[in-house]
Amino acid sequence: GCEYQDSVFVQLFSTPRFTLAQEVYETCVGNDITVLGPDTNITLAFNWSKNNQTVFTGKDFTTNVPGVYVLQVTDSNKCRATDNAELIFNANPVAVATASSYSCTERSVALNGQGGVSYEWSSDNGNQSNKKRYVITNIQHADSGWYQLVVTNEKLCTDTTEVFLEVRQTPD
C-alpha cells in the first residue's frame, strides 16, 4: 500500500474584546445622542446597525432616532465581536401658562402653570417663582410684561411658554 502524509497549519485568532461605555442612552425629544464606540489600541472596522441595516461605519455616531443599535467590530484577522446600545428619547412636557383675573380686594393676580412636575416662572422685571401657581400680591403697573414659564417633567425634559400680564393704572 501507499501512504500519504500532509500537514496543515492552523492559526487561531482571538476575538476582539470590547464593551460599550454605556448600554442605555437617554435624552429628550429634540436633542441628539452621540454614541461612543470603544477606545482601543488595535485597528478595528466599525459597523453600527439598527434592524439589520447599517446606519454608520465609524467609531462614534450621532442621531436623534430611538432604538437599539448594534455595534459590530471587525479586526484585521476578520474576527468579529458585537455589543449594543439602546437610545431612548423621552417626551417633552407641554407647558401651559394662564393668568387669573385681577382681585381688587387682594390687589393680586395668579399665574397658573400646567404640564409638568416642576415650574420656574421668570420675567424681565425680575419677578421669579418656582411654584405651579405664582401669586403676585400688591400688584403694580411695573409688574406688567411677559412672564416665562419653564415646565420640567419627571424625565427632566422641558418646555417653555409665556403669558403676558398687563396691569393698568386705576384711578384712585
Side-chain angles (χ1 to χ4, degrees), residues 26-33 88-92 153 155-158:
E26 199 166 348
T27 192
C28 303
V29 169
N31 294 329
D32 291 336
I33 293 177
I88 300 169
F89 292 84
N90 295 305
N92 293 315
N153 67 14
K155 294 291 188 175
L156 303 179
C157 299
T158 62

Side-chain angles (χ1 to χ4, degrees), residues 15-18 45 47 70-75 79-83:
T15 302
R17 297 187 192 282
F18 78 97
N47 184 51
V70 177
L71 172 60
Q72 180 181 71
V73 298
T74 306
D75 68 13
C79 295
R80 296 184 173 116
T82 61
D83 198 4

Side-chain angles (χ1 to χ4, degrees), residues 4-11:
Y4 178 74
Q5 214 175 33
D6 197 2
S7 63
V8 175
F9 175 74
V10 176
Q11 185 174 6

Side-chain angles (χ1 to χ4, degrees), residues 62-118:
T62 300
T63 186
N64 59 7
V65 179
V68 176
Y69 291 80
V70 177
L71 172 60
Q72 180 181 71
V73 298
T74 306
D75 68 13
S76 59
N77 297 311
K78 306 288 186 222
C79 295
R80 296 184 173 116
T82 61
D83 198 4
N84 59 41
E86 181 178 11
L87 280 56
I88 300 169
F89 292 84
N90 295 305
N92 293 315
V94 177
V96 177
T98 58
S100 68
S101 298
Y102 174 73
S103 169
C104 293
T105 56
E106 297 174 14
R107 297 182 51 91
S108 66
V109 170
L111 302 178
N112 300 296
Q114 293 180 326
V117 296
S118 73

